């Protein structure tokens, strides 16, 4: 019965961070993230933790990743969420055991979601590195039939291949 409140707690925490601006800037993305978070919390207490459960968590993680959410901000919001849920548990023996089981599922979710977030960050970093490499091997046309290829810095085999590819492409053009 507390799932809507827990969802609000999670997203209110995220909303206080400037790093989650992209998630909140898109109403559609935010709405989908909230919908999936509600499904996530309901699934955590369902008792079914199969491939479908993992796929749903990965889908939610992809939304976070696409919006540029950092693992640090996600972990802060998730910790806040778990702390809020823990406060709602009475501290008798049965509730402590139930919460301990809930935490185990929560830790699984953390591992899965953080892996997706880190993978997304690595992909972005790789794309940026490729862009920088391409920009660092310019071929400049000085005039008709005269090209300039500035060589600055260390030239490793990868960069030499980029030089050659860019030069041959420029000669052809």
């Amino acid at each position: 019965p507390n799932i809507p409140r827990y969802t609000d707690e999670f997203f209110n925490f995220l909303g206080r961070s400037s790093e989650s601006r992209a998630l909140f800037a898109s109403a559609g993305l935010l709405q989908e993230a909230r919908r999936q978070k509600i499904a996530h919390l309901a699934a955590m207490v369902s008792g079914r933790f199969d491939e479908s459960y993992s796929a749903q968590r990965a889908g939610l993680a992809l939304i976070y990743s696409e919006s540029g959410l950092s693992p640090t901000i996600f972990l802060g919001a998730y910790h806040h969420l778990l702390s809020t849920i823990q406060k709602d548990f009475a501290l008798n023996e049965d509730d402590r055991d139930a919460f301990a089981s809930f935490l185990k599922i929560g830790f699984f979710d953390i591992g899965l979601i953080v892996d997706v977030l880190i993978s997304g960050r690595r992909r972005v970093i790789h794309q940026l590195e490729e862009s920088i490499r391409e920009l660092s091997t310019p071929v400049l046309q000085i005039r008709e039939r005269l090209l300039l290829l500035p060589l600055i810095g260390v030239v490793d085999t990868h960069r030499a291949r980029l030089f050659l590819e860019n030069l041959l492409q420029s000669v052809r053009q």
Side-chain angles (χ1 to χ4, degrees):
N2 293 322
I3 288 175
R5 182 170 64 86
Y6 295 149
T7 301
D8 288 343
E9 285 287 333
F10 181 81
F11 284 99
N12 287 342
F13 186 94
L14 283 180
R16 292 192 294 263
S17 169
S18 62
E19 281 190 47
S20 59
R21 191 177 312 123
L23 178 62
F24 286 83
S26 168
L29 194 62
L30 181 60
Q31 183 179 11
E32 180 60 19
R34 290 180 69 84
R35 186 191 68 72
Q36 286 197 33
K37 178 52 81 180
I38 288 169
H40 171 213
L41 292 171
M44 286 181 79
V45 295
S46 72
R48 291 195 67 215
F49 308 108
D50 53 7
E51 285 183 44
S52 173
Y53 180 88
S54 297
Q56 289 172 336
R57 295 308 67 73
L60 181 57
L62 285 172
I63 291 174
Y64 298 152
S65 180
E66 289 170 8
S67 67
L69 191 65
S70 75
T72 306
I73 297 301
F74 164 76
L75 287 171
Y78 205 84
H79 177 265
H80 176 74
L81 171 65
L82 291 177
S83 297
T84 301
I85 293 170
Q86 184 178 20
K87 289 175 189 172
D88 287 350
F89 275 80
L91 293 180
N92 64 46
E93 194 64 36
D94 291 338
D95 285 343
R96 275 187 261 147
D97 290 344
F99 187 71
S101 295
F102 182 80
L103 279 179
K104 289 177 186 176
I105 299 304
F107 292 144
F108 169 78
D109 293 350
I110 287 171
L112 182 64
I113 292 171
V114 168
D115 280 351
V116 171
L117 290 174
I118 290 172
S119 175
R121 288 268 170 135
R122 284 183 180 149
R123 187 178 62 254
V124 168
I125 289 169
H126 179 72
Q127 290 170 342
L128 290 173
E129 286 174 343
E130 286 301 313
S131 296
I132 289 169
R133 281 190 192 109
E134 288 177 15
L135 290 172
S136 70
T137 58
V139 177
L140 308 170
Q141 183 172 359
I142 303 299
R143 64 173 190 252
E144 183 72 26
R145 301 176 51 89
L146 179 60
L147 300 174
L148 175 66
L149 178 65
L151 298 175
I152 300 170
V154 177
V155 179
D156 58 6
T157 55
H158 179 72
R159 194 158 174 228
R161 187 171 12 97
L162 283 174
F163 279 137
L164 186 58
E165 287 172 6
N166 286 349
L167 180 61
L168 291 174
Q169 185 177 31
S170 295
V171 167
R172 196 172 351 170
Q173 289 174 353

